[in-house]
Amino acid sequence: MDQGRRSPELVRKQPTSVPALRRRPAWAALERHYQTVKDVHLRQLFAEDRKRGDRLAIEAAGIYLDYSKNRITDQTLTLLLRLAEESGLRDRIDAMFRGDNINVSENRAVLHVALRAPRDASIIHDGRNVVPDVHAVLDKMAGFTHRLRSGAWKGHTGKRIRHVINIGIGGSDLGPVMAYEALRHYSERAMTFRFVSNVDGTDFAEAVRDLDPAETLFIVSSKTFTTLETMTNARTARDWLLAGLNGEADAIASHFVAVSTNASEVAKFGIDTANMFGFWDWVGGRYSMDSAIGLSTMVAIGPDGFRDMLNGFHEMDEHFRSAPFERNLPVLMGLLAIWYNNFFGAQTVAVLPYEQYLKRFPAYLQQLTMESNGKHVTGDGITVDYDTGPIYWGEPGTNGQHSFYQLIHQGTRLIPCDFIAFAHSLNPLGRHHDMLLANVFAQTEALAFGKTAEQVEAEGTPDWRVPHRLFAGNRPSNTLLPDKLTPEALGKLVALYEHSVFTQGMIWQVDSYDQWGVELGKALAQQIIPQLEDPTEPELKHDSSTNALIRRYRKLKAS
Ligand code: F6P
């Protein structure tokens, strides 16, 4: 924008300094290097190095990553790794594990790694080893889980609890729902598990429509216990339960438990704090599925399964903390994401799990990645002069192939893809799994190498149709190929993405652990709710569009 046309407000708000990233020598070298490789085709890279597919692949913490189908040379990797070093990645990793307040805008430590530390580990926060606190909560969760699954915990009328509904939103929903779906194979099939998040009443109504309140337990999951959606759904759940149990208020105790950091709000809601499972302000919502927020996961798969999942997380944590960067899965994936985002200008990343149980994984990753790195200022509050977090999206394969893959193959945008598949199916059925995996390999091959005009012509295609049938290729992808989807493998996969997000955010110098961007809409909604409910015509002071929409809704509602 022309400086002379800026409003005084914008001019005044311009930062007086610029972030360091673009001034790093490795960044400048990457910019120059990009000019030399941007048009190099993967066909050429593979032709020049017959072993590329073996060489650019690593296996660590039980996860195999093939990153050979990326538009990189050895020099690209050298420069990206140098960028990580120049950005102080090693120090920042140590700072996180040490419990430093790396969430600068909220002045908080970021210690989700402590949630999966083994019992004998020591992680000091504010002069206190937090690991025993973590395990005390895990033990309490396990005790509750045993009572619930064995039938020792009874509902108010003496009936056994058969249905568990987690009420939460954001990190208090997406992790639990993703983990439940991912680990459904290992879940207690005699119980049903449902998840209510949306303030749209349909979500609650559909979740309970076929359930008996006497057999239903609600887990109200909210770090703050003040979130509009969750508290509204929790109150509706309380009304539904009481209506089904003759209004007996003491029924709440056996049908509601809470997961929160806010004991006083839990008590105010009417849940006995003895039935509250706590966590801490050093656990971010989107990093909390392995805290007490995972209570529904533990009830579904049992305490042993949950501990296996934590062990998987921990193994990836240790890999991230100790492996050299050139053999470090999260670091490599994070650096490749930077390469496409900042040098090729790719705006999105597609996450494509070829595993039906991971159908909610892309949705989970959206919060993890976009709430973490969707930032426009550095930790010091300086406006960035480069792009930060890309848009993550995806669907399980092979469904996506019959929908949006057309654009990935032949559209005008560059969309780096992460393919995730497992060597073993949890439901081996005839030839299904070979077919599924054949599709993964076929897609990555087609994306990378495409089909030339000569190949299309050689098939007897008329000239006029050749452009339509041509595949340019050179579309990059990673392929993750772990052995089997187990609780442990899920923990590793989630931790892999968590630390990749850390790597990216750290290089962009943003605070990956705050989420101020969600506040404005929340505050405005709180102003608008009474304006929609006011029986008299309220005075509206919004813009003309918002005012008109509110008036129209009020009129339609009354008609
Ligand atoms: O609105 C965003 C957010 O704060 C997320 O970061 C969080 O996971 C979600 O809301 C739910 O918050 P809570 O667990 O406090 O209800």
Side-chain angles (χ1 to χ4, degrees):
M1 189 199 268
D2 171 29
Q3 181 81 15
R5 284 172 29 222
R6 280 185 179 154
S7 72
E9 173 75 353
L10 273 177
V11 173
R12 189 171 59 78
K13 291 265 163 68
Q14 288 309 300
T16 49
S17 50
V18 289
L21 181 55
R22 292 169 73 89
R23 284 179 282 122
R24 299 199 195 291
W27 185 274
L30 278 162
E31 279 180 328
R32 288 192 299 275
H33 171 70
Y34 169 72
Q35 293 305 326
T36 68
V37 294
K38 66 182 170 45
D39 298 321
V40 175
H41 202 287
L42 280 163
R43 287 181 202 131
Q44 183 188 334
L45 295 174
F46 273 82
E48 284 170 3
D49 175 5
R50 299 182 66 79
K51 291 197 175 344
R52 183 179 169 96
D54 299 309
R55 216 165 50 75
L56 300 188
I58 55 170
E59 184 165 10
I63 293 193
Y64 180 83
L65 165 69
D66 173 354
Y67 60 102
S68 62
K69 292 190 184 99
N70 280 291
R71 291 170 67 171
I72 52 170
T73 64
D74 289 353
Q75 177 67 357
T76 321
L77 278 175
T78 303
L79 294 175
L80 286 169
L81 290 165
R82 197 179 295 163
L83 180 67
E85 297 291 355
E86 285 176 10
S87 302
L89 179 59
R90 179 64 63 202
D91 280 356
R92 301 314 294 158
I93 294 173
D94 291 344
M96 172 170 72
F97 278 85
R98 206 169 44 226
D100 290 4
N101 286 6
I102 62 168
N103 175 356
V104 285
S105 82
E106 295 180 316
N107 195 22
R108 283 182 186 162
V110 174
L111 272 177
H112 43 274
V113 292
L115 298 170
R116 51 266 192 154
R119 215 175 265 278
D120 58 359
S122 172
I123 298 179
I124 307 296
H125 176 254
D126 273 350
R128 176 185 172 87
N129 180 7
V130 297
V131 178
D133 299 343
V134 167
H135 282 270
V137 174
L138 286 171
D139 292 344
K140 184 174 170 182
M141 290 163 64
F144 169 75
T145 297
H146 283 309
R147 282 192 289 153
L148 207 59
R149 285 164 62 112
S150 68
W153 177 294
K154 302 255 184 284
H156 183 61
T157 64
K159 280 190 173 175
R160 190 180 176 136
I161 297 293
R162 295 185 189 282
H163 318 294
V164 173
I165 300 186
N166 185 76
I167 297 179
I169 198 162
S172 301
D173 168 73
L174 287 164
V177 89
M178 181 278 288
Y180 170 67
E181 292 295 346
L183 301 176
R184 194 185 257 255
H185 178 80
Y186 304 91
S187 69
E188 173 56 70
R189 302 287 187 158
M191 298 176 82
T192 53
F193 295 87
R194 294 188 183 162
F195 300 84
V196 173
S197 52
N198 199 331
V199 77
D200 181 340
T202 298
D203 203 9
F204 182 83
E206 285 293 337
V208 298
R209 64 184 295 278
D210 55 347
L211 302 187
D212 176 359
E215 298 181 333
T216 303
L217 178 115
F218 292 97
I219 302 175
V220 185
S221 297
S222 174
K223 181 173 169 181
T224 54
F225 230 72
T226 56
T227 304
L228 170 86
E229 292 89 338
T230 301
M231 298 326 297
T232 305
N233 280 318
R235 281 189 287 271
T236 301
R238 190 172 54 190
D239 295 347
W240 175 82
L241 184 94
L242 294 181
L245 297 179
N246 302 322
E248 291 169 27
D250 53 348
I252 304 290
S254 36
H255 292 269
F256 277 84
V257 298
V259 179
S260 188
T261 57
N262 192 342
S264 66
E265 284 298 323
V266 169
K268 239 190 258 170
F269 181 82
I271 297 177
D272 185 349
T273 48
N275 295 331
M276 166 179 154
F277 301 84
F279 59 116
W280 306 272
D281 71 356
W282 40 262
V283 182
R286 54 196 174 272
Y287 296 86
S288 68
M289 61 168 275
D290 47 345
S291 71
I293 289 289
L295 184 60
S296 58
T297 314
M298 189 189 273
V299 175
I301 64 168
D304 289 345
F306 198 81
R307 281 181 205 279
D308 287 348
M309 184 180 81
L310 297 184
N311 291 340
F313 270 102
H314 180 66
E315 200 178 329
M316 186 56 72
D317 293 343
E318 287 304 299
H319 166 72
F320 180 54
R321 192 210 316 232
S322 58
F325 289 167
E326 66 275 15
R327 303 213 43 85
N328 193 312
L329 290 169
V331 171
L332 286 172
M333 284 187 66
L335 291 174
L336 288 167
I338 300 245
W339 177 233
Y340 294 117
N341 185 69
N342 294 101
F343 296 92
F344 282 85
Q347 297 196 342
T348 80
V349 176
V351 181
L352 308 164
Y354 278 65
E355 168 55 73
Q356 188 61 20
Y357 286 123
L358 287 186
K359 65 181 183 190
R360 295 290 287 164
F361 194 63
Y364 170 78
L365 276 190
Q366 286 186 323
Q367 187 195 14
L368 180 68
T369 58
M370 300 204 281
E371 200 168 65
S372 295
N373 285 337
K375 310 288 162 65
H376 74 295
V377 292
T378 65
D380 300 329
I382 300 170
T383 303
V384 296
D385 54 358
Y386 42 82
D387 278 327
T388 60
I391 297 153
Y392 277 74
W393 60 284
E395 277 287 318
T398 55
N399 302 16
Q401 291 174 205
H402 296 271
S403 148
F404 52 79
Y405 277 40
Q406 164 66 37
L407 186 148
I408 307 181
H409 282 287
Q410 286 191 319
T412 56
R413 295 171 195 281
L414 181 76
I415 303 179
C417 302
D418 288 352
F419 287 83
I420 305 171
F422 295 84
H424 291 97
S425 169
L426 294 171
N427 295 293
L429 274 181
R431 299 171 62 211
H432 282 253
H433 202 61
D434 285 344
M435 290 184 183
L436 180 71
L437 274 279
N439 273 282
V440 177
F441 306 144
Q443 289 299 327
T444 69
E445 188 176 3
L447 286 168
F449 304 106
K451 199 170 183 182
T452 62
E454 294 73 44
Q455 288 170 314
V456 178
E457 279 158 13
E459 289 169 349
T461 308
D463 284 356
W464 64 269
R465 194 179 269 158
V466 169
H468 300 279
R469 302 202 55 183
L470 184 115
F471 289 75
N474 219 13
R475 299 176 187 227
S477 66
N478 289 313
T479 304
L480 291 161
L481 187 62
D483 187 47
K484 190 162 129 185
L485 179 54
T486 59
E488 196 182 347
L490 182 70
K492 289 175 185 177
L493 202 56
V494 174
L496 167 60
Y497 277 96
E498 284 178 350
H499 297 319
S500 166
V501 164
F502 175 95
T503 301
Q504 294 167 55
M506 206 284 314
I507 288 178
W508 290 320
Q509 300 174 272
V510 299
D511 183 340
S512 299
Y513 301 99
D514 62 15
Q515 58 284 318
W516 298 105
V518 302
E519 296 301 329
L520 178 58
K522 281 187 195 174
L524 287 171
Q526 291 294 358
Q527 275 177 32
I528 295 174
I529 291 166
Q531 294 169 348
L532 302 185
E533 293 174 335
D534 195 335
T536 62
E537 197 64 44
E539 189 193 354
L540 299 176
K541 292 187 175 160
H542 305 278
D543 60 277
S544 58
S545 159
T546 311
N547 286 344
L549 287 165
I550 291 172
R551 286 198 195 98
R552 183 159 181 86
Y553 172 72
R554 284 179 54 90
K555 199 164 149 201
L556 290 172
K557 188 170 115 154
S559 63

